[in-house]
Amino acid sequence: MKKSYLILAIFGPLVYSCTVPKPGPNKIIIADAIPVKVIKLKQEASTVPISVSGRFTTDNETELSFKTSGIISSILVKEGDAIHQGQLLATLNPTEINAQLQQSQLNSEKAERDYQRIQNLYRDSVATLEQLQNSKTSLQLAQQQLNLVKFNRQYSEIHAIQNGFVLKKLANAGQQVGGGSPILEVNGTQHADWILRVGISDVEWAAIKMGYKAKIESTAIPGQSFEGMVTRKSEGVDATSGTFTADITMSGNVPRSIASGMFGKASISIPSTAKTNSNWRVPYEALLDGDSNIGYVFVTDNNKTAHKVKVQIGGIEKDVAIITSGLENAKGLIVSGSAYLTDNSPIILQSTVNSNK
């Protein structure tokens, strides 16, 4: 009997250790699980604002030029100067145009004297009717030539066509310029609305309609936004940028700190009545490692394991991110505790709520 007890005492612990199951590689140890909060994902029809950027301008920027060629005598304004309608801005050297004007006046006077003489001779039956008609035609040609030179003389000076500002000076005094060459670029901000002219893709061009509302911001005016509306869409691709363009006209009181050429951005709202796609609206804090319109989130299918997935970001609204793809096969989204997770991390739920944002 003593011998049997001794055998049992030796082999008993060994038998016990062989019969107790050990945690396998696929077993989740609850003590290592990370506590998280999960929301149930619900796909819904929603509209994604279109984010665009461009530069401020007006609808009446104008390049002013001389009618004829010549040497610039003076430019009387600088870039940024305020101008008023009718103000003299630049002149050509008048020597050449004045000589042409005087020559045309002399030709017109001679043609008028010739016509009077032929008319008197015709009354005395000395000149023929043909001679009288030819003389009258010569007088009319000389008068029209004088009108042409007078017109060119008038436009050998540049005058402001409306109140506004000088945007650019494109030439200098003493420079030889051709007729129609731009000399000054001006705008008329006192009679025109400010416009944010933005570049858009072909997909955005198809989605944006005339009259859509927009919210405009500028880095020059931090913390402020302005209302606007889409008033124009280009009907073709801009050859320089390779994109379509759209004009967003600002409404309300526009601050004087906005200048032509300044950079701005806008968010164009798509009305709820427009055709929409099914998307997910998720809390912004659930996004990880965002880059442009791509981000990552953690999801779970069994409330026990976290999985990292890549998603497409359609837009941001306050504290909500709009996800357009990437969550098709996910059941729950982890919104708290994701900073401590890696792919396939074990998790334990703190709470589960519906995604109603």
Side-chain angles (χ1 to χ4, degrees):
M1 293 298 293
K2 291 181 180 181
K3 187 175 182 179
S4 62
Y5 284 135
L6 181 59
I7 294 174
L8 181 60
I10 294 174
F11 289 98
L14 180 61
V15 173
Y16 176 77
S17 64
C18 293
T19 57
V20 175
K22 295 182 179 180
N26 297 324
K27 298 291 183 178
I28 297 175
I29 302 173
I30 301 300
D32 295 335
I34 299 173
V36 296
K37 290 184 180 179
V38 177
I39 63 172
K40 294 180 180 179
L41 288 169
K42 181 181 179 182
Q43 196 173 18
E44 59 184 25
S46 63
T47 56
V48 180
I50 298 176
S51 297
V52 293
S53 61
R55 297 192 178 277
F56 289 103
T57 182
T58 61
D59 61 353
N60 61 350
E61 290 185 359
T62 306
E63 291 183 341
L64 302 180
S65 61
F66 297 109
K67 170 67 170 59
T68 60
S69 61
I71 299 173
I72 299 175
S73 176
S74 62
I75 296 180
L76 306 174
V77 291
K78 302 184 296 296
E79 292 183 359
D81 284 355
I83 57 177
H84 59 269
Q85 186 174 6
Q87 178 181 345
L88 179 62
L89 306 179
T91 62
L92 282 178
N93 188 310
T95 302
E96 182 178 3
I97 190 66
N98 285 345
Q100 293 175 355
L101 179 60
Q102 187 175 6
Q103 182 180 359
S104 296
Q105 287 175 335
L106 293 174
N107 288 335
S108 179
E109 291 171 0
K110 179 181 181 300
E112 188 172 0
R113 289 195 304 269
D114 291 343
Y115 176 66
Q116 290 294 338
R117 185 169 52 254
I118 296 297
Q119 198 173 36
N120 292 334
L121 292 174
Y122 179 73
R123 291 194 190 100
D124 295 337
S125 299
V126 176
T128 64
L129 177 61
E130 181 182 3
Q131 291 174 320
L132 177 64
Q133 291 172 335
N134 291 341
S135 178
K136 183 177 181 180
T137 300
S138 297
L139 173 60
Q140 291 172 336
L141 289 173
Q143 290 174 338
Q144 293 301 320
Q145 180 65 28
L146 177 60
N147 291 335
L148 175 62
V149 176
K150 285 181 178 180
F151 180 80
N152 289 340
R153 175 66 179 84
Q154 178 184 356
Y155 285 95
S156 65
E157 299 177 345
I158 296 177
H159 294 262
I161 57 176
Q162 60 186 336
N163 297 342
F165 296 90
V166 178
L167 301 179
K168 293 180 182 178
K169 188 174 73 168
L170 305 173
N172 295 302
Q175 185 175 337
Q176 171 76 40
V177 294
S181 299
I183 306 301
L184 296 169
E185 183 178 344
V186 300
N187 68 358
T189 56
Q190 298 182 22
H191 299 286
D193 294 324
W194 278 106
I195 290 171
L196 181 65
R197 182 159 293 158
V198 299
I200 55 178
S201 66
D202 51 354
V203 175
E204 293 169 337
W205 186 93
I208 296 172
K209 306 298 181 185
M210 302 286 286
Y212 278 10
K213 302 295 183 181
K215 183 170 291 186
I216 302 170
E217 297 179 348
S218 172
T219 53
I221 314 173
Q224 296 187 42
S225 61
F226 307 92
E227 299 298 324
M229 182 174 67
V230 178
T231 55
R232 187 193 69 88
K233 293 196 310 178
S234 65
E235 295 299 327
V237 174
D238 183 85
T240 304
S241 62
T243 63
F244 292 92
T245 60
D247 286 352
I248 303 174
T249 301
M250 300 178 68
S251 57
N253 295 324
V254 180
R256 293 183 60 86
S257 52
I258 288 181
S260 181
M262 186 178 292
F263 178 80
K265 58 183 181 179
S267 177
I268 302 175
S269 301
I270 307 299
S272 58
T273 55
K275 183 179 179 180
T276 60
N277 297 319
S278 294
N279 304 312
W280 295 267
R281 298 169 62 87
V282 304
Y284 181 76
E285 59 267 22
L287 285 175
L288 301 171
D289 305 327
D291 181 15
S292 184
N293 58 345
I294 299 295
Y296 292 87
V297 297
F298 279 101
V299 299
T300 180
D301 297 328
N302 55 9
N303 294 335
K304 296 179 180 179
T305 308
H307 300 286
K308 190 175 183 179
V309 297
K310 182 168 71 172
V311 295
Q312 185 84 18
I313 304 172
I316 302 294
E317 294 180 358
K318 294 183 179 180
D319 298 329
V320 175
I322 300 175
I323 306 301
T324 58
S325 65
L327 298 177
E328 291 80 3
N329 300 320
K331 296 180 180 179
L333 176 72
I334 297 174
V335 297
S336 176
S338 55
Y340 306 99
L341 297 175
T342 58
D343 196 26
N344 293 320
S345 290
I347 59 173
I348 184 171
L349 270 58
Q350 290 182 330
S351 62
T352 304
V353 295
N354 293 324
S355 176
N356 294 324
K357 292 188 177 183

